[in-house]
Amino acid sequence: MAQGDGSEHGDQQQAIASWDLDDRNSNTLCGSMLVQTLAARGLRQAVICPGSRSTPLAVAFAACKTVATLPCLDERSAAFFALGVAKRSRRPVALVCTSGTAGANFYPAVIEAAMTGVPLLILTADRPPELRHCHAGQAIDQLKLFGSYPNWHMEFPIPSPDVEIVRSWRQMTHHAWDRALYPHPGVVHLNLPFREPLAPTRQPELAAQVAQWSLDGTPPPPAPTHAPTAIALPPHPPAEGVIIAGLAEPADPVAYCRAVARLAATLHYPVLAEGLSPLRHHAALNPQLISHYDLILRDRTLAHDLAPRWVIQLGELPTSKILRQWLTATDAPRWILDPRPDNFDPLHGHSHPLHVAIEQINYTTPTLTVSPYLSQWQQAETAARQYLDRTLAATEPLIAAKVPWILAHHLPPQTPILIANSMAVRDVETFWPPSDRGIVPYFNRGANGIDGTLSTALGIAQDHRPTVLLTGDLALLHDTNGFLLTPQFTGSLTIVVVNNDGGGIFEQLAIAAYDPPFTEFFVTPQRVNFAHLCAAYHITYHRITDWDNLAQHLTAPVPPGIRLLEIPTQRRTDAQVRRQWLQNWPGC
């Protein structure tokens, strides 16, 4: 993820020069110091959950004119909304809650942000030490509440009319901002204890004290930029190699695609691009793109003939189980490029991590001669694409797996789209064709959970161009409290929900043959009427009747607000047709 834009230093100077601290009492003083310091560093969005102990923070954010504040009743929804805003903006977003279990509801989003490198600033208000561990009410152990997931966590000192305490709030807030972004974006948790009075009641003597303090400060310098790095690969790579481009949400998708294309052109390697990679949506930038590897590798003869002797992996592996099994079977040396320090080899193979981003490298190996290997991949790609296009175009009933194919052909260029987990992300990987429409995919593939799907999409769409969410019924229903954000939402979100009355992904598992308990405990049918659900939240609803009907809704002008397009399908039919399509591919 990008680490802020070039305007941050100027923003800091302007904000610091106009500091106007709230000196009504110690709590308002420290609260306003924290908020104005964050605003000076570039904070532009805060999400506030209601509560008493967090009053000084809510008051300070409400008074700050440079930070947009949004109230949210449900803490889990608030956290995923903040995650969505931070994903798109690539700036830290502040998330505020009261003491007690409120902060615990942030945990799923904290895990997702930590695992995908999204910058979040978690501000949990707390009771002072004398009211902890004594059943004072709404008090739990909030220290290290999120375990090892944050980049940094710290409890601030209790506010007091002491200049050193106020300066410590300022300094630790600066450090919190830095740790949310550098050396890798992630989560920072600040636990903030407050004594009474929590309301901004006046402490008469404080204003005179503050008037004598010197609290001005010079903003930290901008973060250093990274110069290109020569990548340390062996000097004589074999001609039979592949580049695997996994999940990616780069700040500049075009620059990312061009960097991959340069490496691929040098090596004459095919690029196997995940459906969540920008490469799939900027196909003209890389003529060596392979999108249908999941289908190609189901042909055993092709899988054998295309076995690589060398693999370059960019970021996390794609979702495809077929691809992962193929990599395990071939066990070729795998060079993994990602700037984060994580282990990106769940296959535990012959892998070599190189902690650098593809955009930051100058590859030094001489250009290889063209081999038949790349041509074999390209011929297989052409055949697979023709087979899928022919098969999908001829399919008239509403089938879940055809939805990504329709979206790829009819979404307006540059549409942001959040792909939900479970079957949606798998169908996108297998059936979304390459194009040059510049679609911008987003995803929560850190922990791969279905929690927070709707709220994340709302965060991405907030004050942004019309956005789409592709989801199954269970993933949407798991986060219906996200609809509570509707009154505060300023943007346009189209929810495309495939309603097959339960967890369609479980139809792919061996447990599907055992019913009971399969339907009751795995599929978990919900029987929710989506038209009634939308009416309860004053959301526009449309039931899709055929593919032309869906295409018309996707291409029509999109009004502000939220609309839901329900695509009713049959779960078992979805699974049977999907299986039939894959099994009818030559060689399967």
Side-chain angles (χ1 to χ4, degrees):
M1 281 199 151
Q3 299 175 342
D5 58 33
S7 65
E8 180 182 322
H9 192 57
D11 290 347
Q12 295 167 9
Q13 291 177 322
Q14 180 180 2
I16 286 180
S18 60
W19 270 357
D20 184 17
L21 298 179
D22 186 342
D23 58 10
R24 284 177 286 182
N25 61 47
S26 299
N27 288 337
T28 61
L29 179 64
C30 287
S32 62
M33 173 60 80
L34 180 147
V35 169
Q36 292 188 39
T37 301
L38 290 177
R41 295 303 303 272
L43 183 73
R44 293 296 173 263
Q45 179 75 61
V47 183
I48 314 294
C49 300
S52 175
R53 191 60 53 171
S54 53
T55 297
L57 298 173
V59 168
F61 274 112
C64 184
K65 293 181 172 53
T66 60
V67 177
T69 56
L70 185 142
C72 185
L73 175 63
D74 181 275
E75 284 86 5
R76 188 181 73 173
S77 179
F80 278 102
F81 179 87
L83 177 80
V85 175
K87 270 180 176 289
R88 179 177 55 78
S89 68
R90 291 175 168 80
R91 286 177 183 255
V93 173
L95 193 56
V96 177
C97 73
T98 190
S99 63
T101 58
N105 289 285
F106 290 163
Y107 210 161
V110 167
I111 293 172
E112 181 63 32
M115 296 186 70
T116 52
V118 177
L120 287 182
L121 290 165
I122 309 296
L123 311 179
T124 56
D126 202 355
R127 298 223 168 193
E130 66 270 17
L131 293 180
R132 301 176 192 173
H133 308 291
C134 61
H135 288 262
Q138 206 167 324
I140 66 171
D141 186 358
Q142 296 180 196
L143 304 184
K144 299 185 180 180
L145 181 62
F146 305 114
S148 61
Y149 287 102
N151 288 356
W152 186 59
H153 52 81
M154 174 58 64
E155 178 166 66
F156 277 28
I158 294 173
S160 75
D162 183 330
V163 66
E164 295 303 321
I165 295 298
V166 179
R167 284 174 175 165
S168 74
W169 274 61
R170 179 186 62 188
Q171 183 58 35
M172 286 194 289
T173 303
H174 275 305
H175 188 62
W177 180 269
D178 290 337
R179 291 300 301 272
L181 288 169
Y182 316 114
H184 304 287
V187 178
V188 165
H189 172 213
L190 304 180
N191 198 56
L192 308 167
F194 293 104
R195 290 194 174 104
E196 299 279 358
L198 301 174
T201 55
R202 188 164 296 281
Q203 185 178 351
E205 68 279 6
L206 183 58
Q209 291 179 255
V210 173
Q212 300 176 19
W213 294 349
S214 175
L215 290 173
D216 292 336
T218 302
T225 57
H226 297 282
T229 305
I231 185 170
L233 293 176
H236 303 293
E240 295 78 20
V242 298
I243 297 172
I244 296 178
L247 318 175
E249 292 175 317
D252 187 338
V254 172
Y256 173 88
C257 292
R258 286 176 174 159
V260 176
R262 284 194 298 270
L263 181 59
T266 299
L267 296 173
H268 298 295
Y269 281 6
V271 180
L272 282 57
E274 151 83 54
L276 302 180
S277 167
L279 289 159
R280 189 82 71 98
H281 310 283
H282 296 272
L285 295 176
N286 195 324
Q288 294 159 223
L289 180 68
I290 305 295
S291 295
H292 299 306
Y293 52 83
D294 183 86
L295 182 61
I296 292 169
L297 296 175
R298 292 172 187 270
D299 184 320
R300 295 183 181 179
T301 301
L302 284 175
H304 176 269
D305 294 344
L306 296 174
R309 294 174 55 201
W310 230 52
V311 177
I312 296 176
Q313 174 185 327
L314 308 180
E316 292 191 46
L317 282 172
T319 304
S320 170
K321 186 176 182 179
I322 295 295
L323 175 68
R324 295 182 180 217
Q325 291 172 339
W326 180 70
L327 289 173
T328 299
T330 58
D331 197 29
R334 192 155 27 106
W335 305 86
I336 303 177
L337 275 64
D338 194 286
R340 292 170 289 176
D342 304 31
N343 176 5
F344 290 103
D345 184 12
L347 308 180
H348 308 301
H350 187 191
S351 60
H352 310 275
L354 297 170
H355 298 300
V356 63
I358 184 69
E359 301 93 329
Q360 297 170 344
I361 68 169
N362 287 326
Y363 187 57
T364 56
T365 295
T367 300
L368 298 178
T369 57
V370 179
S371 78
Y373 183 75
L374 173 60
S375 297
Q376 286 179 280
W377 269 106
Q378 291 173 321
Q379 291 168 11
E381 170 73 3
T382 298
R385 190 178 309 170
Q386 291 174 347
Y387 167 76
L388 285 179
D389 283 345
R390 184 171 60 251
T391 301
L392 291 164
T395 301
E396 293 185 4
L398 294 176
I399 298 295
K402 184 172 175 175
V403 175
W405 190 80
I406 293 290
L407 292 175
H409 285 89
H410 295 284
L411 282 182
Q414 287 82 52
T415 296
I417 178 170
L418 177 69
I419 311 296
N421 288 319
S422 295
M423 282 314 302
V425 70
R426 287 162 174 82
D427 284 344
V428 163
E429 180 173 27
T430 305
F431 300 110
W432 191 296
S435 77
D436 293 310
R437 302 173 77 88
I439 302 300
V440 185
Y442 291 92
F443 46 87
N444 281 343
R445 296 297 286 168
N448 298 356
I450 65 169
D451 36 1
T453 301
L454 171 60
S455 299
T456 304
L458 289 167
I460 293 168
Q462 178 78 357
D463 296 323
H464 194 39
R465 65 187 307 145
T467 300
V468 171
L469 165 62
L470 173 60
T471 181
D473 50 322
L474 292 191
L476 181 62
L477 293 173
H478 198 273
D479 190 31
T480 52
N481 266 7
F483 286 129
L484 293 170
L485 288 159
T486 301
Q488 289 79 36
F489 175 66
T490 54
S492 176
L493 178 67
T494 296
I495 303 167
V496 179
V497 56
V498 177
N499 182 7
N500 57 16
D501 192 26
I505 191 171
F506 294 108
E507 294 284 352
Q508 316 298 314
L509 305 180
I511 190 62
Y514 301 88
D515 198 4
F518 176 66
T519 300
E520 182 178 5
F521 291 101
F522 292 86
V523 173
T524 57
Q526 299 302 307
R527 316 292 187 196
V528 171
N529 186 310
F530 280 93
H532 293 173
L533 178 66
C534 289
Y537 289 100
H538 307 287
I539 291 165
T540 303
Y541 168 83
H542 299 282
R543 182 179 176 88
I544 300 302
T545 55
D546 55 46
W547 297 118
D548 288 340
N549 183 223
L550 176 60
Q552 291 167 3
H553 282 293
L554 295 175
T555 55
V558 182
I562 305 171
R563 64 171 178 163
L564 186 145
L565 310 180
E566 180 187 8
I567 305 176
T569 70
Q570 298 295 321
R571 187 181 63 255
R572 287 200 174 95
T573 303
D574 282 347
Q576 290 168 359
V577 171
R578 186 186 290 108
R579 194 176 300 117
Q580 181 181 350
W581 288 348
L582 299 176
Q583 290 174 349
N584 286 349
W585 162 245
C588 292

